[in-house]
Amino acid sequence: MRVKCVICDKIETLDDESLIAKRLRNRPIHTYMCQECNERIAARTHERIATGNFRFYRTRHDQDEW
Ligand SMILES: [Zn+2]
């Protein structure tokens, strides 16, 4: 099965029996990302978490108002 990476347009060949190939066949909407792009995006996400730009908790000040 030949797949194209949505990010870098690299064509890769997947083993038809591999889990990812099966998943792509079952859900055509599911887009494929090559290993390289996957790692790049994962690294970028970790960087963003490290810089503290992600806020998991929001403090609400407007609750004091009537
Ligand atoms: Zn790629």
Side-chain angles (χ1 to χ4, degrees), residues 42-56:
R44 221 182 282 166
T45 305
H46 285 302
E47 266 171 41
R48 232 187 299 164
I49 292 170
T51 58
N53 283 338
F54 276 145
R55 285 195 181 195
F56 296 105

Side-chain angles (χ1 to χ4, degrees), residues 2 4 9-10 12 18 24 35 59 61:
R2 274 153 63 91
K4 194 165 109 177
D9 283 352
K10 189 163 80 179
E12 291 195 335
S18 70
L24 282 166
Q35 190 66 33
T59 49
H61 296 290

Side-chain angles (χ1 to χ4, degrees), residues 5-10 33-38 40:
C5 171
V6 283
I7 293 177
C8 65
D9 283 352
K10 189 163 80 179
M33 242 192 281
C34 71
Q35 190 66 33
E36 243 173 79
C37 291
N38 251 325
R40 213 180 322 149

Side-chain angles (χ1 to χ4, degrees), residues 14-19 21-22 25:
L14 293 180
D15 184 351
D16 278 350
E17 294 305 312
S18 70
L19 196 70
K22 280 178 188 165
R25 260 198 308 263

